[in-house]
Amino acid sequence: MSATPLHTLSGNPPTKVSLRVPATTANLGPGYDTLGMAMSIFMDLTVEVADTYSFEVEGEGKEHIATDNNLLTDTCRIAFEKYAKKPMPPLHFSMRNNIPFGCGCGSSSAAAVAGFVAGMLLAGFTMETRGQEELLAVIAKIEGHPDNAAPAIYGGIQLGCKRESGDDVSFVTSRVPTPPNLSIVLFTPKKLMKASTEVTRNLVPQTTALSNAIHNISRSSLLVLALCSNKLELLKDCSDRLHENYRADQLYPHYRPCAKAAMEHGAEYAFLSGAGPTVCAFVSGRRGDILTQPEGERRVEQVAQAMLDAARAAGVEGRAIITQPSDLGVHLSGVHSSLPNVSYVNI
């Protein structure tokens, strides 16, 4: 990747920043490594210059997150040392994580984005986010692909791709319209089931039959059409042949019954979120508070219960989370000193 130009902030850098980053669901079935959506579940982070290093964490995955060295602190250090060319000062990190941990809901992407952006602001620089996509390139390089990184940065539904020219690699992303009144139901197992990224990727064959490639090209195109046109009835035909079944057969016995139950009880679409084990379902029609809705619009609760029951019957206990898409990607949640309007906020 070519050298990344930095844009220095005017005035003194802040000494404290508070950020919020959304959860993401990636692949969206046939859109393997290309499509991702931000969800209204958030990781909140405050980072402050301090006399000594400290790290506090609350919420999801607390027992699995190291407080001395983790992805969030690593990416913050990268912002200081690799890009700003200065040592990272002692910092106090305070994180409240509501994103389901290690189950295909983008917790690692959120940590990478939060850590790097916090470090970037504290170090006194910004990056281009339109055209050259400098920030996306950094996060995607850390993450490996743009389908989680792009919605974590920009929000909404993002269609990302990698450009390669010799040794130079860049990433671009475009927003796909989010259908109105769309609800998301997530089934997440109680126990951590996800293998390492390397293991889950190794389950996916490196080559495939031409018929499978054609299938996924047509279905991913149909998926984008359904989202752009709000014709969600088209989603029922947007099945995948590249990754879901390989992962489900080896790791996730609940996937097929859970997705099937969601569709039978009113979901427009169900798919494996990221590399799993979370199962994600799209349900349309929810408007306003549940207490004010006609019974016919309460399908989202029925879908959630059906997914729970189906997974339990397959031997997997878990929980259902009902949420919505998020138009917001990473954004400031508190201003502690004079900060400029930076281009990645609320795009």
Side-chain angles (χ1 to χ4, degrees), residues 80-334:
F80 273 95
E81 296 180 357
K82 183 175 180 179
Y83 290 91
K85 306 298 183 184
K86 60 176 72 172
M88 186 174 80
L91 298 173
H92 171 66
F93 294 83
S94 178
M95 181 177 74
R96 171 69 189 181
N97 181 38
N98 290 314
I99 302 174
F101 180 82
C103 63
C105 292
S107 59
S108 61
S109 288
V113 170
F116 188 87
V117 171
M120 179 177 73
L121 294 176
L122 292 171
F125 70 93
T126 62
M127 286 182 163
E128 186 65 49
T129 58
R130 293 186 183 275
Q132 294 190 36
E133 303 285 6
E134 296 163 3
L135 180 57
L136 175 61
V138 170
I139 303 300
K141 186 176 181 180
I142 295 169
E143 269 286 292
H145 38 84
D147 52 336
N148 278 122
I153 294 170
Y154 297 117
I157 303 173
Q158 297 288 332
L159 174 59
C161 65
K162 180 191 294 185
R163 289 176 176 167
E164 296 182 84
S165 177
D167 294 331
D168 191 43
V169 177
S170 62
F171 296 87
V172 293
T173 188
S174 298
R175 183 181 284 249
V176 177
T178 303
N181 306 317
L182 183 67
S183 289
I184 299 170
V185 182
L186 303 170
F187 170 80
T188 61
K190 286 183 179 178
K191 295 182 179 180
L192 285 178
M193 297 178 66
K194 183 177 178 180
S196 68
T197 300
E198 181 180 0
V199 169
T200 57
R201 285 202 165 264
N202 286 341
L203 292 174
V204 179
Q206 295 300 300
T207 59
T208 191
L210 180 60
S211 59
N212 289 339
I214 293 171
H215 177 95
N216 268 57
I217 290 170
S218 65
R219 269 51 177 195
S220 57
S221 300
L222 186 63
L223 173 61
V224 173
L225 174 63
L227 297 172
C228 288
S229 63
N230 197 26
K231 294 181 179 179
L232 299 187
E233 66 274 9
L234 299 176
L235 292 174
K236 67 180 185 297
D237 294 319
C238 294
S239 59
D240 166 78
R241 289 187 183 176
L242 294 185
H243 69 102
E244 287 187 332
N245 290 335
Y246 298 107
R247 288 165 167 166
D249 288 344
Q250 296 293 320
L251 299 174
Y252 311 135
H254 63 287
Y255 168 64
R256 286 193 182 88
C258 201
K260 182 173 183 288
M263 297 289 287
E264 289 177 346
H265 286 79
E268 275 71 32
Y269 191 44
F271 56 93
L272 191 66
S273 184
T278 294
V279 182
C280 183
F282 289 169
V283 185
S284 66
R286 185 169 190 172
R287 294 188 290 274
D289 189 87
I290 184 64
L291 296 177
T292 67
Q293 292 172 14
E295 186 175 353
E297 291 188 4
R298 298 182 185 177
R299 290 177 296 142
V300 66
E301 280 76 15
Q302 297 171 12
V303 169
Q305 188 61 54
M307 293 172 76
L308 285 170
D309 293 342
R312 185 178 299 115
V316 179
E317 294 288 338
R319 58 177 172 163
I321 301 171
I322 297 172
T323 186
Q324 296 171 328
S326 172
D327 283 336
L328 294 177
V330 58
H331 58 282
L332 293 171
S333 57

